[in-house]
Amino acid sequence: MAWRMLRRKDVHAGLMNLAFRGDHGGTKHFSSGNLGKLTKFVHSNRLQGAADCTVFQHYTIRNFHAGVCMLAWSRKKEDVVGLKAPKKEKRVKREPRTQAPVEAPYVAPKPKITIKSSPDKIVEIFDGMTLHDLSKRSGAAIGALQSILVDLGERVESEFDSISIDLAELVAMEIGVNIRRMHTGDGVVEPRPAVVTVMGHVDHGKTSLLDSLRQTSVAAKEAGGITQHIGAFVVEMQSGASITFLDTPGHAAFSAMRARGAAVTDIVVLVVAADDGVMPQTLEAISHAKVANVPIVVAINKCDKSGADPERVRIQLGSEGLLLEDMGGDVQVVEISALSKLGLDKLEEALFLQAEMMDLKARTDGPAQAFVVEARVDRGRGPLATAIVKSGTLVSGQYIVVGAEWGRIRSLRDTAGKVTESAKPAMPIEIEGLRGLPMAGDDVVVVDSEERARMLSQGRKKKQEKDRLRKIDEDMTEETEIADDTPERVEMPIIVKADVQGSVQAVTDALRSLNSPQVFVNIVHVGVGPVSEHDIDLAQACRAYIVGFNVRNPPSAITQGATQANIKILLHKVIYHLLEEMGRLIVEKAPGTAEIQISGEAEILNIFELKGRSKSKGPDIKIAGCRITDGHFIRSGTMRLLRSGDVVFEGPCASLKREKQDADKLDKGDDCGLVIEDCDDFQVGDTIQCLEQVMRKPKFISTQSGAVRIEC
């Protein structure tokens, strides 16, 4: 209260002082009446209200030298919302510099971590490896690996901390190197059945042998009597033990499928027909088994047929470097007959003996390791993959990554089609629940969660795309290096559809083998399943042929749409017929190469001269009276004059007549009058050859072994 009274007293004194001072020429800004009002306002309690400041709106206060309290009241008035004025900054005069600036040390920017991609390098990874191990194997810096882990949402404090095999694969893919998963064998190890692959030449009785072993009739159901895809079956032998058999195709187009069969097998049964002997696919199967380091058991089939010569087969196999037991080697040889079931018990004994010598065991607990041998799309169940478990136990409900696809196992089915909850080692199983169709030969990886499965799938797809683009760049570089005189090739776009993934790959590889210098076979799209409307639209866009292998006939609506769009659909169930028809189409589409060939020969019997011609008809000419002795002559051809075997003149034909009539073509035995442009050096007995330019088409060649090619 005392402070307020003092404040008002000081304010009153300041106002009185202001009222009676002269400002700018002694002008008085306050009258006696107004001063009284102002004094009354100052003594009232309304000094604290912001709105009461409007009392001063009719007065101008200049040179107001009040005390500290009046200045405080002025500041409080400015704090009212909407009345605060911006503060003016004081200008400070800078003094000129008299000293040189201090030189700070240069700090280089933090270098960005760059990783050199090594697409050809293969790094072996395993569960529990450290960043130090991964850095040592891949050649990448530890800092680069840690930055990749941070981007993936993982954090590893030390370079010696262990990481999972899935995380190691993700990091390796970001580096740009190829990886090979190394699975540990720790756990419960138990004996397992042998995985046996039946290989050999086409029509040597591979599938018939399996039919006799499992008492079924699969060969009769195969189109054309040949196997079109890999079949996996568990056969209960007479001794009570079980063996997993894989039946591989024998046609030359299915070489990659035979290689996959040898990669997942323990023993190879090489079937050779006693009446046919060693054939190209037999040698190819031997090479696949040697590369995979798999023991071979030779089964000489069709020993009961007339003309069978098992000894000749033994000699042929020995000459190919296969050390048979009869020749002091370790390769067992069994003579059998698949149709009459002769010698099947001996074959069984040989297989069990070989498996016992190998002491086959596998880990039964922990995550499973499996390989896809076949994949297809079912109309109601979606993508299905047939796999063989190598180790561990595959359980329904697990999250898996198969190649670049992922999913959760919805159900597992054995070879009999029965639903099972788990699959043990050496057991073929059909997996349902994948988001996409994997490739035959992909490995099956069990992961912990859906997030990790999705990350692995995305990483593998990204790497596949990088590899594909890199291959395209390499192919384009090679094409630019081709000489300019290389003839331009015609492109033949093709869409391939098949029943299973393995057949798609086999047909694609076989069609690409038909590439020639004149026709480029461009596989624009591949897929599993019947021909769809999407295939018709794509074929219409790029003018492609549609090849359907072992698929059902498309609906009438799709067939009519293809006919209206002038799209050709080729459906086949036997690969022989498919390759033959495609070979004919390629030959028809090929532009051919221009060649000059001798179309006919003629002998000069007499010479006629036309003299005294007018200037309008031209100078004098010589006409050679000829008789065609071989082939034919054409008016548009080039004539070559020969004398005693030497070329005297060569030039275009100026006139070709028969009995005073112009002729475009004359055959053998015809007499004619011939005029060669700018040539008058004819003699009786000379020979004239007619040179004709023709377009030579390539040839489609199919060998007895099943291999096909285009020869230009």
Side-chain angles (χ1 to χ4, degrees):
M1 189 66 182
W3 176 82
R4 182 178 296 178
M5 294 301 296
L6 177 63
R7 178 182 173 186
R8 290 179 177 176
K9 182 178 180 180
D10 294 338
V11 172
H12 179 69
L15 291 175
M16 295 297 295
N17 185 22
L18 177 64
F20 294 99
R21 283 187 58 182
D23 186 15
H24 299 282
T27 304
K28 301 296 186 297
H29 294 273
F30 286 94
S31 61
S32 59
N34 292 336
L35 182 61
K37 294 180 180 180
L38 180 61
T39 304
K40 184 178 179 182
F41 166 75
V42 171
H43 285 279
S44 66
N45 293 329
R46 298 168 61 190
L47 184 62
Q48 299 178 1
D52 296 337
C53 297
T54 56
V55 179
F56 298 98
Q57 61 184 351
H58 301 294
Y59 310 106
T60 303
I61 301 176
R62 303 181 67 180
N63 296 332
F64 184 71
H65 300 285
V68 179
C69 296
M70 195 60 194
L71 293 177
W73 171 82
S74 177
R75 292 192 189 99
K76 188 170 183 180
K77 183 186 71 170
E78 289 178 357
D79 290 341
V80 180
V81 178
L83 299 179
K84 186 175 181 179
K87 295 182 179 180
K88 295 183 179 180
E89 298 181 356
K90 295 182 179 180
R91 291 186 177 181
V92 179
K93 187 177 181 181
R94 295 183 179 180
E95 297 180 358
R97 287 184 177 181
T98 57
Q99 296 181 356
V102 180
E103 293 184 0
Y106 173 74
V107 179
K110 188 176 180 181
K112 186 179 179 181
I113 299 176
T114 58
I115 301 172
K116 186 177 180 180
S117 177
S118 302
D120 298 331
K121 190 172 184 179
I122 298 178
V123 176
E124 294 181 350
I125 61 174
F126 52 90
D127 197 9
M129 71 184 309
T130 63
L131 282 183
H132 180 75
D133 295 333
L134 186 57
S135 173
K136 187 176 180 181
R137 293 169 182 261
S138 62
I142 295 179
L145 302 182
Q146 289 178 340
S147 65
I148 294 175
L149 287 174
V150 172
D151 295 338
L152 294 175
E154 302 286 343
R155 185 177 181 85
V156 178
E157 297 180 356
S158 174
E159 61 187 71
F160 297 101
D161 292 345
S162 61
I163 59 177
S164 64
I165 188 173
D166 301 332
L167 203 57
E169 180 179 350
L170 289 172
V171 175
M173 286 189 297
E174 288 293 330
I175 296 174
V177 296
N178 298 320
I179 59 99
R180 181 186 295 116
R181 284 177 167 251
M182 305 297 294
H183 297 273
T184 60
D186 300 336
V188 180
V189 179
E190 297 179 359
R192 65 171 178 84
V195 179
V196 179
T197 300
V198 182
M199 306 178 73
H201 190 72
V202 62
D203 199 27
H204 275 201
K206 299 181 299 297
T207 307
S208 300
L209 174 60
L210 288 178
D211 292 343
S212 300
L213 290 174
R214 59 185 174 172
Q215 299 297 324
T216 58
S217 180
V218 175
K221 301 176 183 178
E222 295 285 357
I226 61 173
T227 301
Q228 308 286 346
H229 55 271
I230 290 181
F233 311 97
V234 176
V235 177
E236 295 289 339
M237 309 301 287
Q238 296 179 0
S239 59
S242 61
I243 296 180
T244 300
F245 281 95
L246 296 180
D247 183 19
T248 61
H251 191 269
F254 297 96
S255 175
M257 300 178 71
R258 285 194 298 276
R260 287 197 301 270
V264 299
T265 190
D266 301 314
I267 305 171
V268 168
V269 174
L270 183 63
V271 179
V272 186
D275 59 341
D276 202 4
V278 175
M279 299 299 288
Q281 271 68 65
T282 309
L283 302 178
E284 190 177 352
I286 294 175
S287 64
H288 288 323
K290 288 183 177 180
V291 170
N293 196 18
V294 177
I296 298 175
V297 175
V298 178
I300 303 179
N301 194 21
K302 303 182 181 180
C303 291
D304 55 344
K305 289 185 66 175
S306 59
D309 191 358
E311 291 301 325
R312 182 172 65 93
V313 175
R314 286 184 170 88
I315 295 174
Q316 290 176 345
L317 292 175
S319 63
E320 296 297 336
L322 206 61
L323 301 178
L324 307 180
E325 282 186 340
D326 302 342
M327 303 177 182
D330 56 353
V331 178
Q332 302 181 71
V333 181
V334 182
E335 297 181 6
I336 64 171
S337 175
L339 294 180
S340 61
K341 301 181 182 180
L342 176 67
L344 296 185
D345 54 346
K346 295 181 180 179
L347 178 61
E348 180 182 350
E349 292 176 2
L351 293 176
F352 278 112
L353 177 60
Q354 186 67 47
E356 185 178 355
M357 293 171 57
M358 299 175 66
D359 191 20
L360 299 173
K361 293 182 180 180
R363 172 179 55 85
T364 57
D365 60 343
Q369 178 191 4
F371 294 95
V372 177
V373 296
E374 199 56 88
R376 63 186 179 91
V377 176
D378 188 81
R379 195 169 186 178
R381 300 163 59 194
L384 302 176
T386 302
I388 291 184
V389 181
K390 294 288 289 185
S391 63
T393 302
L394 194 64
V395 183
S396 180
Q398 290 179 330
Y399 288 99
I400 58 174
V401 178
V402 185
E405 305 296 338
W406 71 280
R408 186 179 184 183
I409 301 178
R410 188 160 55 242
S411 68
L412 296 173
R413 295 176 184 267
D414 57 12
T415 55
K418 297 180 180 179
V419 178
T420 180
E421 291 296 326
S422 61
K424 297 290 184 181
M427 180 177 178
I429 204 73
E430 190 177 61
I431 302 173
E432 178 184 350
L434 295 174
R435 298 295 183 94
L437 190 68
M439 297 294 294
D442 290 341
D443 58 338
V444 181
V445 177
V446 179
V447 295
D448 298 333
S449 62
E450 179 181 350
E451 181 182 3
R452 183 57 53 86
R454 187 182 289 107
M455 290 177 62
L456 270 179
S457 175
Q458 292 175 355
R460 291 184 177 184
K461 288 181 179 179
K462 183 179 178 181
K463 187 177 183 305
Q464 286 181 356
E465 184 66 17
K466 287 183 179 179
D467 295 341
R468 187 184 68 85
L469 295 177
R470 179 172 59 88
K471 187 176 180 181
I472 292 176
D473 293 340
E474 293 176 355
D475 295 341
M476 292 179 64
T477 304
E478 292 178 359
E479 290 180 0
T480 55
E481 296 176 355
I482 299 177
D484 297 335
D485 56 353
T486 303
E488 184 178 356
R489 292 197 297 178
V490 177
E491 182 180 359
M492 187 175 187
I494 299 176
I495 297 174
V496 179
K497 300 298 289 289
D499 56 342
V500 293
Q501 184 67 49
S503 297
V504 169
Q505 182 179 353
V507 174
T508 302
D509 295 341
L511 292 176
R512 283 174 177 164
S513 67
L514 297 178
N515 275 325
S516 66
Q518 298 186 22
V519 179
F520 169 60
V521 178
N522 183 17
I523 309 297
V524 297
H525 176 68
V526 297
V528 176
V531 179
S532 61
E533 294 182 0
H534 172 72
D535 300 326
I536 300 297
D537 296 338
L538 180 59
Q540 187 175 3
C542 58
R543 311 307 303 172
Y545 293 86
I546 299 178
V547 174
F549 179 72
N550 208 16
V551 296
R552 65 176 183 270
N553 294 329
S556 58
I558 295 179
T559 305
Q560 292 176 1
T563 304
Q564 293 175 359
N566 198 18
I567 301 300
K568 197 166 187 178
I569 301 178
L570 310 177
L571 300 178
H572 289 279
K573 293 185 178 297
V574 180
I575 198 165
Y576 292 115
H577 304 157
L578 171 63
L579 295 179
E580 288 176 0
E581 183 171 4
M582 290 304 302
R584 289 194 298 267
L585 291 176
I586 290 175
V587 169
E588 293 175 2
K589 195 175 183 65
T593 54
E595 290 186 352
I596 301 297
Q597 66 178 13
I598 300 174
S599 63
E601 288 187 358
E603 182 183 359
I604 299 179
L605 302 179
N606 202 349
I607 300 174
F608 306 95
E609 296 186 16
L610 293 179
K611 294 183 179 181
R613 307 179 69 194
S614 61
K615 293 183 179 180
S616 60
K617 294 184 178 181
D620 299 340
I621 60 174
K622 283 187 177 182
I623 302 173
C626 307
R627 176 172 293 169
I628 300 175
T629 59
D630 188 20
H632 63 273
F633 270 43
I634 57 174
R635 170 70 175 79
S636 59
T638 302
M639 302 303 169
R640 178 185 293 171
L641 179 62
L642 301 176
R643 183 173 301 154
S644 300
D646 297 331
V647 178
V648 177
F649 186 83
E650 184 175 325
C653 177
S655 175
L656 180 65
K657 292 186 177 183
R658 184 173 185 269
E659 297 179 355
K660 300 183 180 182
Q661 301 255 342
D662 290 333
D664 293 330
K665 181 180 179 182
L666 296 176
D667 296 325
K668 179 180 177 180
D670 293 339
D671 295 334
C672 63
L674 179 64
V675 177
I676 303 177
E677 188 173 336
D678 299 331
C679 178
D680 56 359
D681 188 14
F682 296 121
Q683 293 183 9
V684 177
D686 289 348
T687 302
I688 297 180
Q689 293 179 344
C690 179
L691 306 181
E692 182 181 4
Q693 183 177 2
V694 296
M695 301 301 294
R696 188 171 65 88
K697 292 280 189 177
K699 295 181 180 179
F700 173 74
I701 298 177
S702 177
T703 62
Q704 186 179 2
S705 63
V708 294
R709 70 180 188 274
I710 300 293
E711 188 177 88
C712 294

